[in-house]
Amino acid sequence: MTSEPIVRLEGISKAYGKAQALHPMDLTIAPGEFVTFLGPSGCGKSTTLRILGGFETSDTGRIILDGQDVTAQPPEKRKVNMVFQDYALFPHMTVAQNISFGLELKGLGKAEIKQRLDEVMSFLELAPFATRYASQLSGGQRQRVALARALAPDPALLLLDEPLGALDAKLRGQVQMELKAIQRRTDKTFLFVTHDQDEALTMSDRIVVMNGGRIEQDGTPEDLYFHPQTRFVAEFIGATNLIDGTVRGLDGAAQEVVLDWRGIELRGQAPAGAPQTGQEVSASLRLEKIALGAERPATRNAVMGRIVDKTFLGSRVAVNIVVPEAGDALLRAYADSDVTARLGDAPVWLGWDSHALSVLRH
Amino acid sequence: MTRNGRVWLSVFFWAFVVYLFVPLLLMILMGFKDSKFIGFPIRSWTLDWYLGVFDNGEVIATFGYSLWIAVASTLISILMGTWLALLLSGRRFVGRFAVYALTLLPALVPGIISAIAFRIYARQIGIEPGMGAIIWAHAVHNVPFVALVVMARLSTLPKSLGEAARDLGADPLVTFMRVTLPYLKPAIIGASIFCLLLSFDDFVRSFFLGSYEPTLPVLIFAKLRSGMSPEINAISTVALILTAVLGVWAERSSRRMNREN
Ligand SMILES: Nc1ncnc2c1ncn2[C@@H]1O[C@H](COP(=O)(O)OP(=O)(O)OP(=O)(O)O)[C@@H](O)[C@H]1O
Ligand SMILES: [Mg+2]
């Protein structure tokens, strides 16, 4: 990252009574990034967002926003706007009045307000609803008004706390796309919160996975999906095979970990802070990274197995494979339906590269 | 519900209607009687009594006096009650329960007792009987109703609404004026109407704390003692119609506001 970060959190934390909702945490966000906080309920996502917005005070640390220390500033002073989960539209104001609210308080002139209002409303296709009240709008329309209201004052950072939670599944998918497109077009920095992993994967430039008030892992969606660093991330995002083994050694040049998996030698990718020889570790192997075939594959890892179960999923088939050499351990994989048909009941070869097998941090 | 149940319910309902409206109807009719005495049969009819109400300087003045007391005491109770509701719904503080109990107390003390107590206390601290004393007593009596209605409304105010206002650049005062207060508006209007009617209708406090100038209920009472005449019916009917109009208007406007929110 070459540019100055738009947000820098330095050791912020929060305790409610004895419960530590948020452990000291550092995070930087670059301008124009779409960053998502992903994690199970109660992991501290909202708390972090509310500290950034100024609705909660951090027990420790500093918040640097656009180069300025805002730790002690109240919400109205911060150049940050929030889209609330319940949208929090003012019920006694029309759509246009809701959107103008922040502009008026910024001290803009009448003409400027009108211009910015029209701009935002046409951008979000809200013009036909300008004189309606929130109670006269659909869920998706309300969501757009909340977004318009937060975008109108041109904040340095937009906070979105599960803004799609109230929408039904179909609308949700559509709004996800819209939101992502809006973020690209406005080039704004978005900090988005969700506990839905698919939502996080489709929308984000970067995902911060949180658990129990701590950051588990921070990376691109591909990074998190294919190279999880912890067991929590591997299990929380997508389906995976977890392989438990003992470290036999490290292949320094290739940055590979040599694993003993119930007597079979496997090669996997080392996590940050490589494990010691003899240590018990887990490794994650995504289902789609396993190639099935009749011949022994040329990949770094190859084991022999037998298909015991197939589930037809439409475009592909999920198969359960027993590996006799590894004490009848079970692996799951995806295959094309014609491949499984061709293989029949014959033994199959399973192959995957060493970087497909992510050894997890302990 | 069974058929029988429905029949009984409608019997009770109509009994209630008869019980409520027949006396009112008789009162209204009697105002049209062309005679000095109340009672059936009505042999000839006249509009004189009703027209007399609008001609009678004493009645008009009393009406204005009552209205003025109602408006003034309502303003005071709305300010006090809303302030107490905000205080009690906000951050916890030491002695909150005591404040809560004290706020509600005036609604629980029987009118006659509080009226006598007010009278004694007013003399002790040198408050003369009259308009000020009546306004004071009415205001205190109405505060709990305002506080309860406003607190009920406040409890439905989503926390995020105030936060959204702050987020968009409003300081706490602007947030209160532009978001909290408009949200409370239906409750405040409803409570105001209620207070106006309670004050306008009050007899006991006005009687004990008044000077020589009577409020409308006190005037009617005084007139009753000097003999029943259809004039009283006419005065009461006019008062009834005015309060009914106010009530219906309040109901409709609060319903309209609820639709908006
Ligand atoms: N005002 C509060 N008082 C006490 N505890 C709180 C308060 N707000 C949050 N917590 C606690 O802090 C922890 C983190 O809460 P937070 O709201 O940040 O979770 P979250 O990750 O947003 O969860 P969700 O997905 O359910 O919204 C939770 O254990 C919660 O119970
Ligand atoms: Mg939350």
Side-chain angles (χ1 to χ4, degrees):
Chain A
M1 269 173 253
T2 49
S3 50
E4 269 292 297
I6 198 96
V7 179
R8 210 163 67 233
L9 300 180
E10 296 176 354
I12 60 160
S13 69
K14 183 81 192 173
Y16 291 108
K18 277 201 178 131
Q20 193 74 30
L22 199 65
H23 294 274
M25 161 169 142
D26 299 318
L27 186 74
T28 54
I29 298 173
E33 259 193 309
F34 194 124
V35 177
T36 299
F37 283 160
L38 173 67
S41 191
C43 72
K45 308 180 295 287
S46 296
T47 303
T48 313
L49 223 59
R50 293 174 57 79
I51 287 174
L52 254 166
F55 308 116
E56 305 280 354
T57 50
S58 177
D59 296 342
T60 56
R62 296 198 305 159
I63 304 153
I64 315 290
L65 184 72
D66 213 1
Q68 205 191 347
D69 188 334
V70 299
T71 318
Q73 282 185 358
E76 62 266 28
K77 292 267 190 299
R78 300 187 185 189
K79 274 172 57 188
V80 170
N81 285 144
M82 181 130 156
V83 176
F84 291 83
Q85 176 160 16
D86 60 358
Y87 308 145
L89 299 178
F90 305 127
H92 58 287
M93 296 185 201
T94 62
V95 168
Q97 286 166 340
N98 262 283
I99 301 172
S100 310
F101 189 84
L103 300 172
E104 287 163 22
L105 287 161
K106 249 183 119 175
L108 299 186
K110 271 221 164 69
E112 274 175 295
I113 292 177
K114 174 90 175 63
Q115 189 195 347
R116 181 76 183 138
L117 176 67
D118 289 344
E119 206 176 287
V120 174
M121 285 207 302
S122 74
F123 181 65
L124 286 168
E125 291 164 25
L126 285 168
F129 313 112
T131 57
R132 290 213 202 159
Y133 290 92
S135 59
Q136 301 165 323
L137 298 174
S138 74
Q141 289 161 352
R142 275 179 218 186
Q143 198 269 339
R144 288 218 299 280
V145 177
L147 188 62
R149 187 178 67 176
L151 277 172
D154 197 29
L157 171 70
L158 200 69
L159 305 174
L160 303 104
D161 193 355
E162 305 204 29
L164 311 185
L167 305 181
D168 64 52
K170 193 167 156 231
L171 191 57
R172 204 174 161 131
Q174 185 190 331
V175 176
Q176 281 172 11
M177 294 296 136
E178 274 178 23
L179 204 56
K180 179 70 195 159
I182 288 164
Q183 190 264 338
R184 285 230 184 84
R185 276 192 287 164
T186 53
D187 211 24
K188 280 255 167 288
T189 315
F190 275 37
L191 183 48
F192 185 88
V193 163
T194 182
H195 55 242
D196 180 337
Q197 42 137 333
D198 291 326
E199 198 163 283
L201 290 174
T202 42
M203 300 178 74
S204 325
D205 296 326
R206 205 170 117 208
I207 299 176
V208 178
V209 181
M210 294 184 66
N211 185 29
R214 287 196 172 83
I215 295 181
E216 283 275 333
Q217 193 175 343
D218 171 354
T220 63
E222 293 80 11
D223 222 19
L224 288 171
Y225 188 80
F226 290 117
H227 305 296
Q229 295 266 315
T230 66
R231 195 180 178 107
F232 177 82
V233 176
E235 284 182 322
F236 193 73
I237 300 179
T240 198
N241 291 293
L242 282 174
I243 289 173
D244 298 316
T246 314
V247 178
R248 273 196 198 154
L250 294 172
D251 191 339
Q255 290 201 311
E256 282 179 358
V257 179
V258 184
L259 273 187
D260 178 354
W261 178 45
R262 304 182 179 197
I264 302 181
E265 188 179 285
L266 298 177
R267 282 164 180 270
Q269 194 180 42
Q276 307 286 313
T277 302
Q279 198 179 335
E280 302 277 332
V281 293
S282 303
S284 158
L285 175 61
R286 292 290 174 198
L287 277 62
E288 58 274 33
K289 286 289 177 185
I290 302 177
L292 301 183
E295 317 278 306
R296 188 192 164 97
T299 47
R300 294 288 266 175
N301 299 295
V303 299
M304 188 79 134
R306 183 164 41 83
I307 296 178
V308 290
D309 196 19
K310 291 190 250 187
T311 313
F312 182 64
L313 298 175
S315 57
R316 56 190 179 175
V317 179
V319 290
N320 286 348
I321 299 157
V322 160
V323 182
E325 273 180 87
D328 279 350
L330 191 74
L331 288 179
R332 287 177 301 150
Y334 292 128
D336 291 336
S337 19
D338 51 333
V339 172
T340 51
R342 189 151 39 82
L343 290 170
D345 290 335
V348 288
W349 276 101
L350 293 76
W352 64 90
D353 277 318
S354 58
H355 63 251
L357 183 68
S358 303
V359 177
L360 305 173
R361 212 167 56 202
H362 271 247
Chain B
M1 199 183 291
T2 63
R3 206 189 139 71
N4 240 333
R6 250 188 316 233
V7 168
W8 274 111
L9 209 65
S10 71
V11 167
F12 282 128
F13 175 74
W14 287 111
F16 171 76
V17 168
V18 166
Y19 172 78
L20 186 70
F21 285 106
V22 168
L24 288 179
L25 200 67
L26 288 179
M27 180 188 82
I28 294 169
L29 281 178
M30 215 48 87
F32 292 105
K33 185 178 176 185
D34 188 8
S35 151
K36 269 216 166 285
F37 304 99
I38 292 180
F40 281 103
I42 300 177
R43 292 221 168 74
S44 62
W45 302 78
T46 176
L47 274 177
D48 286 354
W49 297 117
Y50 279 99
L51 294 175
V53 171
F54 299 98
D55 240 12
N56 186 331
E58 188 194 18
V59 172
I60 303 274
T62 308
F63 214 95
Y65 184 64
S66 273
L67 204 63
W68 174 234
I69 288 173
V71 169
S73 68
T74 296
L75 280 177
I76 295 170
S77 7
I78 290 290
L79 283 177
M80 271 306 284
T82 305
W83 179 70
L84 281 166
L86 288 166
L87 189 73
L88 290 168
S89 306
R91 217 174 274 241
R92 309 192 157 270
F93 58 91
V94 182
R96 176 160 126 166
F97 183 76
V99 174
Y100 183 70
L102 275 175
T103 303
L104 297 191
L105 198 62
L108 304 175
V109 178
I112 181 85
I113 292 177
S114 73
I116 294 170
F118 265 116
R119 176 72 196 220
I120 295 169
Y121 184 62
R123 178 161 299 156
Q124 294 278 320
I125 62 171
I127 295 178
E128 289 302 309
M131 188 165 74
I134 299 176
I135 290 174
W136 169 46
H138 285 187
V140 170
H141 178 242
N142 290 346
V143 162
F145 301 108
V146 178
L148 282 176
V149 171
V150 174
M151 269 196 282
R153 179 76 180 159
L154 263 179
S155 72
T156 68
L157 173 71
K159 197 169 135 237
S160 59
L161 232 49
E163 288 180 347
R166 296 289 300 273
D167 192 55
L168 292 164
D171 61 29
L173 182 67
V174 173
T175 302
F176 178 74
M177 296 306 289
R178 295 199 52 186
V179 175
T180 315
L181 210 52
Y183 189 82
L184 296 180
K185 199 169 98 184
I188 289 178
I189 290 184
S192 304
I193 307 277
F194 193 57
C195 289
L196 284 174
L197 295 179
L198 275 179
S199 167
F200 199 75
D201 183 48
D202 175 74
F203 173 75
V204 180
R205 289 174 187 80
S206 308
F207 182 75
F208 277 90
L209 288 162
S211 58
Y212 299 108
E213 201 176 354
T215 63
L216 195 64
V218 175
L219 178 77
I220 292 174
F221 179 70
K223 280 189 178 295
L224 275 177
R225 287 208 301 188
S226 63
M228 300 276 269
S229 108
E231 183 195 13
I232 297 170
N233 294 65
I235 297 172
S236 310
T237 303
V238 171
L240 173 78
I241 288 170
L242 285 176
T243 51
V245 165
L246 184 67
V248 169
W249 173 79
E251 208 275 334
R252 295 191 66 175
S253 64
S254 83
R255 220 178 332 160
R256 199 187 55 234
M257 264 183 280
N258 279 341
R259 255 207 311 276
E260 267 170 28
N261 290 340

